[in-house]
Amino acid sequence: MNANFEADVVVAGGGPAGLAAAIAAGREGASVILVERYGFVGGMSTAASVYPWMTFHTAGGEQVIRGLAQEIVTRLMERGGSPGHLRDTIGFTYSVTPYDAEIFKVLAYDMLKEAGVKLLAHSFVDGVRTDERRIEALDVTGKSGRLLVAGKQFIDTTGDADLASLAGASVQKGRQEDGRTQPMTMKFRMRGVDIGAVREAIRANPDNFYHKTLFSELDSLPLTAVSGFYAEWKAGKVPINRDQVLFFTGPAEDEVLVNCTRVQGLDPTNVEELTQAEDEGRRQVLLMAEFLRKHIPGFAKASISSVGAQIGIRESRRIDGRYCLSIEDVVSGRRFEDCIARSGYPVDLHDPSGKGVASAFIEGGGAYDIPYRCLITKEFDNLLAGGRCISTSHEALATTRLTPSCMATGEAAGRAAALASATGTAVDQINVAKLQEQLRRAGAVI
């Protein structure tokens, strides 16, 4: 096979999980190639304006996600690209982590270079070459035409399990009974928002906002997030199937990220339906912006400053792996011997067809384990998954899909792939205790 490029570890998808995977593998001494379809990295965080990152902590404030994810936050803080972890004033999670997406793009590229990772931007994986239980190479299309990228180990961090699906690995999609996925959302930013007026509206009518809002602490905390304006939303009669207004402040003082559009009933892995979703999402952005200006205190002089380069996708395909993390595992705070990451984010399940969001909070210490087996496909000896497409149920995905968790599973996949490459073993035969030791040494909490 005459490959254009070859490496010990090949990572498909440069979102938060793929970045962590590629950097971790490179730091473990593997040669690494990262294939990314856009001209920049960051995935949903930069292409779809998914903001802020939430959460690195349990409900009680214990930080359970560190490692590379925390290093990224710390280095963003050093560059003025993040204030660090702040309290979530909605009260749904303990913390949110605002960040500047443009500074993040540059930092991420710097960290890839430091780790010796070769980035192939503007490159899309559209084929996988296999030999029985092994993947041999990826077919990639880009500005250079057709390329062949060979490797010893492969990591699927596409978010949509594209690599696994193309290779013929078994995948799941959506909820079990009908395959419907959580709705897609077109995120957008508005500038010129009077945050003080928003704060006063919350003080004046607490019953008009999410019941866990930190009302008693609004005078001492920066207002990071707002959920509610129930009365205004009901009166406005915006033709979007949801029941509240939701936005997050920053990173600028007069800026908010609006998370209110909701595109349902379309398949994010079907190109025609995804095209329709993009159009519908952008139309909803204009409707939402007009509603906010007319009805919500503080927005009268606000204007749209940016819209996601693509629609945000909560759920699509995920691998059907060696273990499927269940909602019971999450809510009970289950521990696993092969734990490679932890998370304290509650279940946040957006209804595929209705208005609401189903929530469930984690019992015990407020965190659950993600086992290594959730990263391993059933069919291939040299393929791992990280991020949104690891093996979970539809309900459990509603927590594992959040960015800090994706960074944590991506880091674990990267270190595992490097270990498998160095020892010449299948990914399911590596020494998991050694992998855990490497993760702990790098600051991860497991």
Side-chain angles (χ1 to χ4, degrees):
M1 180 171 56
N2 188 19
N4 300 96
F5 300 99
E6 188 169 357
D8 295 328
V9 177
V10 178
V11 183
L19 286 171
I23 293 166
R27 289 183 178 181
E28 292 294 344
S31 59
V32 184
I33 293 174
L34 174 60
V35 181
E36 167 55 41
R37 61 174 170 161
Y38 288 116
F40 53 88
V41 292
M44 290 290 108
S45 292
T46 52
S49 297
V50 174
Y51 168 100
W53 293 330
M54 52 196 301
T55 177
F56 286 69
H57 299 80
T58 66
E62 178 190 1
Q63 186 168 347
V64 291
I65 297 177
R66 293 183 182 272
L68 264 173
Q70 178 57 47
E71 181 185 336
I72 289 170
V73 174
T74 300
R75 293 180 67 169
L76 280 171
M77 293 172 69
E78 292 169 353
R79 298 186 182 201
S82 174
H85 309 304
L86 304 177
R87 289 301 304 277
D88 171 20
T89 49
I90 291 175
F92 184 72
T93 66
Y94 180 83
S95 70
V96 296
T97 310
Y99 64 95
D100 185 304
E102 298 309 317
I103 296 176
F104 175 46
K105 288 176 185 176
V106 175
L107 170 65
Y109 190 56
D110 286 348
M111 292 179 70
L112 289 170
K113 288 191 291 185
E114 291 167 7
V117 177
K118 183 176 184 62
L119 174 65
L120 297 180
H122 294 292
S123 300
F124 190 88
V125 177
D126 60 5
V128 179
R129 302 193 186 190
T130 64
D131 181 13
E132 295 184 345
R133 292 189 56 84
R134 293 189 61 83
I135 293 174
E136 299 292 329
L138 306 182
D139 289 305
V140 173
T141 296
K143 288 296 181 182
S144 301
R146 298 281 289 176
L147 300 172
L148 189 63
V149 181
K152 297 177 182 177
Q153 304 291 330
F154 294 82
I155 304 176
D156 188 336
T157 46
T158 61
D160 303 310
D162 288 338
L163 195 165
S165 179
L166 287 167
S170 52
V171 296
Q172 304 177 61
K173 182 168 64 177
R175 58 189 179 191
Q176 187 174 3
E177 60 266 30
D178 59 7
R180 289 288 185 93
T181 61
Q182 295 184 67
M184 293 175 269
T185 293
M186 185 68 76
K187 308 287 183 76
F188 66 101
R189 292 186 175 277
M190 298 189 79
R191 295 293 301 267
V193 179
D194 183 346
I195 302 300
V198 174
R199 189 189 295 268
E200 287 303 317
I202 299 172
R203 286 198 191 101
N205 188 8
D207 290 341
N208 200 26
F209 297 88
Y210 182 62
H211 69 281
K212 285 180 172 285
T213 296
L214 305 184
F215 300 110
S216 64
E217 300 177 62
L218 286 181
D219 290 334
S220 59
L221 292 174
L223 185 67
T224 56
V226 176
S227 174
F229 286 111
Y230 300 124
E232 291 84 350
W233 180 255
K234 186 175 181 180
K237 297 181 179 179
V238 182
I240 297 175
N241 196 24
R242 61 178 296 120
D243 56 5
Q244 60 173 306
V245 173
L246 174 65
F247 58 84
F248 300 88
T249 63
E253 291 182 356
D254 67 338
E255 185 175 19
V256 300
L257 185 286
V258 183
N259 183 348
C260 286
T261 69
R262 177 172 277 204
V263 179
Q264 295 170 305
L266 297 173
D267 183 350
T269 65
N270 178 295
V271 67
E272 291 179 299
E273 294 188 26
L274 185 56
T275 300
Q276 183 181 341
E278 293 279 358
D279 176 58
E280 184 176 334
R282 295 181 195 283
R283 292 176 188 277
Q284 288 188 15
V285 165
L286 301 182
L287 290 173
M288 274 304 312
E290 185 65 17
F291 163 80
L292 292 167
R293 281 191 290 263
K294 286 184 176 180
H295 297 280
I296 302 302
F299 281 80
K301 297 181 179 180
S303 60
I304 295 172
S305 54
S306 68
V307 182
Q310 73 150 84
I311 198 164
I313 299 172
R314 291 184 175 87
E315 178 181 21
S316 58
R317 286 184 296 249
R318 56 196 184 276
I319 67 166
D320 180 15
R322 299 293 179 89
Y323 184 82
C324 180
L325 190 73
S326 70
I327 186 66
E328 292 79 16
D329 294 332
V330 169
V331 173
S332 67
R334 185 174 176 186
R335 303 303 304 263
F336 292 90
E337 286 188 7
D338 61 336
C339 170
I340 45 78
R342 306 201 75 207
S343 177
Y345 190 82
V347 174
D348 179 24
L349 185 61
H350 292 245
D351 196 306
S353 53
K355 290 185 177 182
V357 177
S359 301
F361 294 86
I362 304 164
E363 299 169 359
Y368 63 90
D369 288 0
I370 301 174
Y372 177 57
R373 287 164 291 163
C374 288
L375 280 55
I376 307 173
T377 64
K378 294 175 180 177
E379 293 84 3
F380 293 100
D381 294 332
N382 65 337
L383 174 62
L384 291 165
R388 201 176 70 225
C389 55
I390 66 171
S391 181
T392 73
S393 69
H394 166 70
E395 295 80 11
L397 179 70
T399 163
T400 60
R401 65 179 172 81
L402 275 294
T403 305
S405 303
C406 289
M407 290 179 177
T409 58
E411 178 178 0
R415 296 192 190 280
L419 183 57
S421 176
T423 57
T425 56
V427 292
D428 66 342
Q429 297 297 314
I430 66 166
N431 185 330
V432 176
K434 185 172 182 179
L435 170 61
Q436 293 171 325
E437 178 186 337
Q438 291 177 345
L439 287 166
R440 290 192 186 96
R441 193 186 313 124
V445 179
I446 56 175

